[in-house]
Amino acid sequence: MESPDQRPFSGAQWTISAAGHEAVIVEVGGGLRTYRHDGVDLVDGYQTDEVCPGCTGQVLAPWPNRIRDGRYSFGERVQQLPLTEPERHVAIHGLVNWVPWRLLEQSEDAVTVGYDLPPQPGYPWPLRLVSRWSVGVDGLRAEHEVTNIGGEAAPFGFSVHPYLQLPGVAVDDLVMRLPARTRLLVDGRLLPVGATPVAGTEYDWTSPRRIGSAELDLCFGQVIRDADGGSSVSLSAPDGSAGVSIWADSEFGWWQVFTGDALIGERHRRSVAIEPMTCPPDAFRSGKDVLTLKPGTTWRGAWGIRPGA
């Protein structure tokens, strides 16, 4: 039996592998700690004795990103959330990223984990979250279900926070394709104050080009969707020798891109967080693309990571 000081900071570790793909899912937050293909780390993960840095690989629910002052209205009630990013006076990234998820099912190439979110101050609605992570010839796939197990309708949003990388390729040199027509304008607290088209500006990556010196912590909208209603963002090496892409299904209409400039030490600008989101930042206040989960209903969404751009 392992002693308490030997237990990984991120709790139990569940490794899945198939066809040269391997990922590690963790108990704390139920998120993605590592993902590699043929031994190459395509996700900038973290060690078992490390507190998850920069929300790496975390599941963000029941809202992604920031809520101004942690305060919002739903129905006829005003809610006040704890300010989990106090320096910006906001509530950030939901309520499930630091809690222990439980193992529901496990096989060699897939693992399913779950968490029951209890009603609490600021979010008085119970939710049941289930995530199935799998790997196969097409890469990593994550399928999420969130069910309202209470008796009242609940506001809801969802995202995930993987950092993508190509080892040996600097962020400045990564060639990115980002299929979005607009970006949000933000204030000094990184909260949205408007939106503007990207066409013809330095923020237009609808055609692949280098990230260069751009410092990004921005949300992009009016996603240009594929035939199946989903979309994908890709990163590739300048010479095209390597690449990685992240896809999301039609439930996700926003992409947040963060080039890691606010991170310290070795993680500073080492990889790019590319986050599919169902709604933009501060959505609980603006109402933009907030989902209303009625009692007994389930939201489902899927996304994944593929080698190659």
Side-chain angles (χ1 to χ4, degrees):
M1 183 175 177
E2 66 182 16
S3 63
D5 61 347
Q6 293 175 316
R7 180 172 169 79
F9 283 8
S10 47
Q13 311 283 305
W14 299 299
T15 300
I16 54 176
S17 61
H21 301 265
E22 181 186 278
V24 177
I25 309 305
V26 295
E27 175 187 8
V28 176
L32 178 70
R33 186 171 70 78
T34 66
Y35 167 60
R36 59 181 60 99
H37 176 240
D38 290 343
V40 177
D41 284 293
L42 297 177
V43 160
D44 192 0
Y46 57 101
Q47 303 302 312
T48 58
D49 60 351
E50 188 178 6
V51 175
C52 177
C55 298
T56 299
Q58 290 185 336
V59 171
L60 312 180
W63 76 89
N65 212 279
R66 296 169 174 87
I67 297 176
R68 185 182 297 272
D69 304 324
R71 189 176 177 87
Y72 66 97
S73 299
F74 185 76
E76 297 182 356
R77 288 182 288 175
V78 175
Q79 304 291 345
Q80 178 63 59
L81 291 156
L83 300 179
T84 43
E85 194 181 33
E87 63 270 26
R88 291 193 172 100
H89 209 260
V90 298
I92 191 169
H93 287 339
L95 300 168
V96 303
N97 44 353
W98 298 108
V99 297
W101 290 51
R102 65 190 183 278
L103 177 65
L104 299 178
E105 192 174 331
Q106 186 176 17
S107 64
E108 185 176 342
D109 62 354
V111 63
T112 302
V113 294
Y115 176 70
D116 284 357
L117 176 69
Q120 55 200 275
Y123 195 86
W125 302 281
L127 302 179
R128 176 163 293 159
L129 298 94
V130 176
S131 296
R132 182 181 188 271
W133 302 84
S134 61
V135 288
V137 292
D138 291 330
L140 173 78
R141 180 181 179 90
E143 298 164 278
H144 305 280
E145 295 185 359
V146 181
T147 303
N148 181 346
I149 56 175
E152 296 182 343
F156 176 74
F158 190 93
S159 181
V160 287
H161 206 298
Y163 287 77
L164 273 56
Q165 65 177 8
L166 293 175
V169 182
V171 167
D172 290 33
D173 295 328
L174 289 170
V175 175
M176 180 168 68
R177 178 186 175 271
L178 174 62
R181 294 187 178 92
T182 63
R183 68 176 174 95
L184 295 186
L185 303 170
V186 296
D187 62 15
R189 295 160 65 188
L190 298 180
L191 292 162
V193 293
T196 187
V198 300
T201 76
E202 59 185 318
Y203 297 100
D204 187 351
W205 280 276
T206 51
S207 295
R209 65 181 180 87
R210 288 176 70 250
I211 291 175
S213 60
E215 297 183 5
L216 303 176
D217 194 353
L218 287 178
C219 184
F220 293 81
Q222 289 193 20
V223 166
I224 302 167
R225 298 183 181 273
D226 300 328
D228 63 2
S231 61
S232 64
V233 178
S234 65
L235 299 174
S236 58
D239 61 1
S241 60
V244 62
S245 62
I246 178 170
W247 60 269
D249 71 11
S250 59
E251 291 295 313
F252 298 88
W254 303 82
W255 289 97
Q256 181 86 14
V257 179
F258 173 46
T259 45
D261 304 276
L263 302 181
I264 60 174
E266 293 181 350
R267 300 194 74 91
H268 175 79
R269 208 169 167 83
R270 186 172 72 180
S271 53
V272 184
I274 302 179
E275 311 157 45
M277 305 199 302
T278 63
C279 60
D282 210 19
F284 276 17
R285 288 176 64 102
S286 70
K288 182 67 174 176
D289 286 350
V290 172
L291 298 167
T292 297
L293 280 183
K294 295 180 180 179
T297 62
T298 298
W299 171 86
R300 293 177 176 87
W303 65 280
I305 301 173
R306 296 190 183 104

